[in-house]
mmCIF file of all heavy atoms in Angstrom:
data_model
loop_
_atom_site.group_PDB
_atom_site.id
_atom_site.type_symbol
_atom_site.label_atom_id
_atom_site.label_comp_id
_atom_site.label_asym_id
_atom_site.label_seq_id
_atom_site.Cartn_x
_atom_site.Cartn_y
_atom_site.Cartn_z
ATOM 1 N N ASP E 169 -23.606 52.446 23.282
ATOM 2 C CA ASP E 169 -23.914 53.670 24.030
ATOM 3 C C ASP E 169 -24.628 53.301 25.333
ATOM 4 O O ASP E 169 -25.848 53.351 25.432
ATOM 5 C CB ASP E 169 -24.793 54.581 23.175
ATOM 6 C CG ASP E 169 -25.076 55.922 23.853
ATOM 7 O OD1 ASP E 169 -24.492 56.188 24.922
ATOM 8 O OD2 ASP E 169 -25.897 56.684 23.323
ATOM 9 N N HIS E 170 -23.834 52.931 26.345
ATOM 10 C CA HIS E 170 -24.404 52.539 27.640
ATOM 11 C C HIS E 170 -25.155 53.688 28.293
ATOM 12 O O HIS E 170 -26.291 53.529 28.747
ATOM 13 C CB HIS E 170 -23.281 52.074 28.580
ATOM 14 C CG HIS E 170 -22.496 50.917 28.081
ATOM 15 N ND1 HIS E 170 -22.984 49.632 28.059
ATOM 16 C CD2 HIS E 170 -21.232 50.842 27.589
ATOM 17 C CE1 HIS E 170 -22.072 48.818 27.579
ATOM 18 N NE2 HIS E 170 -20.997 49.533 27.282
ATOM 19 N N VAL E 171 -24.511 54.844 28.356
ATOM 20 C CA VAL E 171 -25.101 55.996 29.056
ATOM 21 C C VAL E 171 -26.415 56.399 28.401
ATOM 22 O O VAL E 171 -27.438 56.571 29.073
ATOM 23 C CB VAL E 171 -24.116 57.175 29.092
ATOM 24 C CG1 VAL E 171 -24.782 58.409 29.701
ATOM 25 C CG2 VAL E 171 -22.864 56.809 29.889
ATOM 26 N N GLY E 172 -26.401 56.542 27.088
ATOM 27 C CA GLY E 172 -27.611 56.953 26.392
ATOM 28 C C GLY E 172 -28.723 55.931 26.494
ATOM 29 O O GLY E 172 -29.905 56.286 26.638
ATOM 30 N N GLY E 173 -28.363 54.649 26.435
ATOM 31 C CA GLY E 173 -29.377 53.608 26.546
ATOM 32 C C GLY E 173 -30.060 53.605 27.896
ATOM 33 O O GLY E 173 -31.294 53.517 27.994
ATOM 34 N N VAL E 174 -29.273 53.715 28.968
ATOM 35 C CA VAL E 174 -29.847 53.737 30.316
ATOM 36 C C VAL E 174 -30.681 54.991 30.524
ATOM 37 O O VAL E 174 -31.770 54.943 31.123
ATOM 38 C CB VAL E 174 -28.742 53.625 31.381
ATOM 39 C CG1 VAL E 174 -29.336 53.752 32.775
ATOM 40 C CG2 VAL E 174 -28.005 52.298 31.250
ATOM 41 N N ALA E 175 -30.185 56.122 30.038
ATOM 42 C CA ALA E 175 -30.951 57.370 30.172
ATOM 43 C C ALA E 175 -32.317 57.234 29.519
ATOM 44 O O ALA E 175 -33.339 57.682 30.064
ATOM 45 C CB ALA E 175 -30.172 58.525 29.552
ATOM 46 N N ARG E 176 -32.351 56.591 28.372
ATOM 47 C CA ARG E 176 -33.624 56.381 27.670
ATOM 48 C C ARG E 176 -34.570 55.519 28.506
ATOM 49 O O ARG E 176 -35.772 55.786 28.606
ATOM 50 C CB ARG E 176 -33.349 55.725 26.315
ATOM 51 C CG ARG E 176 -34.511 55.754 25.344
ATOM 52 C CD ARG E 176 -34.084 55.234 23.985
ATOM 53 N NE ARG E 176 -32.995 56.042 23.436
ATOM 54 C CZ ARG E 176 -31.755 55.578 23.226
ATOM 55 N NH1 ARG E 176 -31.447 54.338 23.504
ATOM 56 N NH2 ARG E 176 -30.834 56.373 22.727
ATOM 57 N N ALA E 177 -34.028 54.482 29.122
ATOM 58 C CA ALA E 177 -34.849 53.587 29.937
ATOM 59 C C ALA E 177 -35.391 54.292 31.178
ATOM 60 O O ALA E 177 -36.576 54.163 31.524
ATOM 61 C CB ALA E 177 -34.022 52.364 30.345
ATOM 62 N N VAL E 178 -34.530 55.042 31.856
ATOM 63 C CA VAL E 178 -34.961 55.706 33.085
ATOM 64 C C VAL E 178 -35.955 56.817 32.780
ATOM 65 O O VAL E 178 -36.941 57.013 33.513
ATOM 66 C CB VAL E 178 -33.737 56.230 33.872
ATOM 67 C CG1 VAL E 178 -34.187 57.008 35.111
ATOM 68 C CG2 VAL E 178 -32.828 55.073 34.278
ATOM 69 N N ARG E 179 -35.737 57.550 31.699
ATOM 70 C CA ARG E 179 -36.711 58.585 31.312
ATOM 71 C C ARG E 179 -38.066 57.952 30.993
ATOM 72 O O ARG E 179 -39.112 58.529 31.305
ATOM 73 C CB ARG E 179 -36.190 59.382 30.111
ATOM 74 C CG ARG E 179 -35.140 60.419 30.472
ATOM 75 C CD ARG E 179 -34.962 61.433 29.355
ATOM 76 N NE ARG E 179 -34.506 60.804 28.121
ATOM 77 C CZ ARG E 179 -33.227 60.675 27.780
ATOM 78 N NH1 ARG E 179 -32.278 61.147 28.584
ATOM 79 N NH2 ARG E 179 -32.897 60.101 26.643
ATOM 80 N N TYR E 180 -38.056 56.787 30.386
ATOM 81 C CA TYR E 180 -39.309 56.079 30.099
ATOM 82 C C TYR E 180 -40.047 55.763 31.401
ATOM 83 O O TYR E 180 -41.271 55.943 31.497
ATOM 84 C CB TYR E 180 -39.018 54.795 29.321
ATOM 85 C CG TYR E 180 -40.220 53.904 29.154
ATOM 86 C CD1 TYR E 180 -41.189 54.164 28.192
ATOM 87 C CD2 TYR E 180 -40.392 52.795 29.979
ATOM 88 C CE1 TYR E 180 -42.304 53.338 28.053
ATOM 89 C CE2 TYR E 180 -41.488 51.963 29.846
ATOM 90 C CZ TYR E 180 -42.440 52.241 28.883
ATOM 91 O OH TYR E 180 -43.540 51.429 28.751
ATOM 92 N N LEU E 181 -39.300 55.309 32.415
ATOM 93 C CA LEU E 181 -39.918 55.019 33.711
ATOM 94 C C LEU E 181 -40.480 56.299 34.348
ATOM 95 O O LEU E 181 -41.576 56.297 34.911
ATOM 96 C CB LEU E 181 -38.895 54.359 34.635
ATOM 97 C CG LEU E 181 -38.456 52.947 34.240
ATOM 98 C CD1 LEU E 181 -37.282 52.494 35.094
ATOM 99 C CD2 LEU E 181 -39.624 51.962 34.385
ATOM 100 N N ILE E 182 -39.719 57.388 34.253
ATOM 101 C CA ILE E 182 -40.187 58.669 34.813
ATOM 102 C C ILE E 182 -41.446 59.133 34.091
ATOM 103 O O ILE E 182 -42.430 59.546 34.725
ATOM 104 C CB ILE E 182 -39.073 59.733 34.717
ATOM 105 C CG1 ILE E 182 -37.890 59.344 35.615
ATOM 106 C CG2 ILE E 182 -39.606 61.108 35.095
ATOM 107 C CD1 ILE E 182 -36.651 60.198 35.397
ATOM 108 N N ASP E 183 -41.435 59.047 32.764
ATOM 109 C CA ASP E 183 -42.604 59.462 31.986
ATOM 110 C C ASP E 183 -43.817 58.589 32.268
ATOM 111 O O ASP E 183 -44.962 59.014 32.051
ATOM 112 C CB ASP E 183 -42.283 59.424 30.492
ATOM 113 C CG ASP E 183 -41.268 60.478 30.078
ATOM 114 O OD1 ASP E 183 -41.048 61.429 30.855
ATOM 115 O OD2 ASP E 183 -40.683 60.341 28.983
#
Side-chain angles (χ1 to χ4, degrees):
D169 184 7
H170 300 286
V171 175
V174 176
R176 194 173 301 114
V178 176
R179 282 197 298 268
Y180 172 79
L181 292 171
I182 294 170
D183 292 343

